[in-house]
Amino acid sequence: QQNLRETGAWRKNRLIERFTDNLFKDILITIEKVKDSEDLLQQAIGLAKWENARLHGLHVQNPQNPQAAADLEFDKQQFLERCEQNEVEASYSIEIGEPTKQILARSLLADLVIVKVLHPPGHLISSSGTGLRTIIHNLARPLLAVPSGASSFSSALVAFDGSVKAREALYLAAYMAERWGTKLTIATLEDKNADDSIALAKQTLDFYELPADFLIGGKSYQFFLDVVRERAVDVLAMGSYSGNPF
């Protein structure tokens, strides 16, 4: 029996459906407060409409600082009404406990997890804290981290080093290009494996008959950030990249 927590398990389950059906049938979105989650909701609802997906809201209650029941119910109704207005099938769950553990547990029932990255750190997910890193390292599903503003997925950068998880990111980028018309740029750092990594990426995208730009440059992660700015990239796709996170 296949272990659904293994890297690649989700992709293998969806591979046959890729050309005949939407990839994301169930989307999990983490919500702290609906009023502070406009970008996140806009992104999630937009994706759900594109993919004809079910949207599952998750609020994790901090046991040290619980919200009033009336506030929780108000947020739930706001979320469900917003989804109904956009003709998106939705559910909403309230759990108590440590956010990271709850997100990882619930993610096994989803095809995509969407979280808000907070600046500065907040209760749920912080880009500078261990919560996001723990989710990235342990999540067996694609993760969309939304810092600010909803992406239109018009231009994607894939940070690619040829690793198993990087191939997962390339697979998703290929889906975006094929189904959503996303322009692809595949980039890798200059090292002894760079040519092999680019050759693998080209071979993969040639199989799907998808165009892309391929770049090798720089020896630090600043290279990727420069590409994002120069090419007006609005989504960065990566599985994992050798070295420290950036």
Side-chain angles (χ1 to χ4, degrees), residues 5-246:
R5 294 181 182 273
E6 290 180 353
T7 298
W10 170 85
R11 174 179 54 81
K12 291 173 184 176
N13 284 340
R14 289 288 184 263
L15 188 59
I16 296 175
E17 300 177 351
R18 178 164 180 256
F19 295 103
T20 59
D21 204 353
N22 294 322
L23 198 60
F24 305 114
K25 296 182 178 180
D26 289 276
I27 299 174
L28 177 67
I29 172 178
T30 60
I31 300 280
E32 186 167 0
K33 292 182 180 179
V34 170
K35 68 176 182 179
D36 299 328
S37 305
E38 179 57 34
D39 291 342
L40 193 67
L41 277 173
Q42 184 180 346
Q43 187 76 86
I45 289 173
L47 279 175
K49 293 182 74 171
W50 283 358
E51 292 288 288
N52 193 27
R54 293 174 290 270
L55 193 56
H56 306 282
L58 173 64
H59 173 84
V60 183
Q61 182 78 302
N62 184 348
Q64 306 300 323
N65 185 28
Q67 289 181 242
D71 292 337
L72 293 174
E73 183 62 26
F74 179 75
D75 266 6
K76 177 180 179 179
Q77 292 305 317
Q78 275 197 315
F79 174 82
L80 294 176
E81 287 174 8
R82 181 76 174 273
C83 291
E84 184 178 5
Q85 290 168 2
N86 286 275
E87 299 181 336
V88 171
E89 184 179 346
S91 68
Y92 192 90
S93 300
I94 300 171
E95 301 291 345
I96 298 176
E98 201 281 315
T100 301
K101 291 181 180 178
Q102 293 290 344
I103 293 169
L104 290 174
R106 289 271 179 169
S107 70
L108 294 176
L109 302 176
D111 299 308
L112 174 69
V113 178
I114 304 179
V115 301
K116 176 74 174 177
V117 180
L118 301 177
H119 303 281
H123 161 55
L124 195 54
I125 301 295
S126 165
S127 61
S128 60
T130 59
L132 183 59
R133 292 183 184 180
T134 300
I135 290 173
I136 290 173
H137 283 259
N138 293 281
L139 193 67
R141 299 293 184 271
L143 173 71
L144 176 60
V146 181
S148 62
S151 170
S152 62
F153 294 92
S154 60
S155 176
L157 168 64
V158 182
F160 190 76
D161 65 354
S163 65
V164 173
K165 288 189 175 181
R167 295 178 199 181
E168 296 295 302
L170 185 62
Y171 167 77
L172 285 175
Y175 178 82
M176 289 189 286
E178 183 178 274
R179 298 298 291 268
W180 306 342
T182 306
K183 181 180 178 180
L184 299 183
T185 300
I186 316 300
T188 190
L189 294 181
E190 187 176 345
D191 60 23
K192 62 180 181 180
N193 300 315
D195 289 336
D196 289 341
S197 295
I198 289 297
L200 175 60
K202 284 183 177 179
Q203 182 182 28
T204 301
L205 294 180
D206 283 348
F207 175 78
Y208 296 122
E209 299 180 328
L210 293 171
D213 293 331
F214 298 90
L215 304 175
I216 299 176
K219 295 184 180 295
S220 74
Y221 298 126
Q222 183 60 43
F223 168 64
F224 295 123
L225 301 179
D226 291 341
V227 173
V228 167
R229 285 191 291 268
E230 292 167 4
R231 293 182 169 241
V233 168
D234 61 0
V235 58
L236 173 63
M238 59 186 298
S240 63
Y241 205 94
S242 305
N244 295 323
F246 65 99

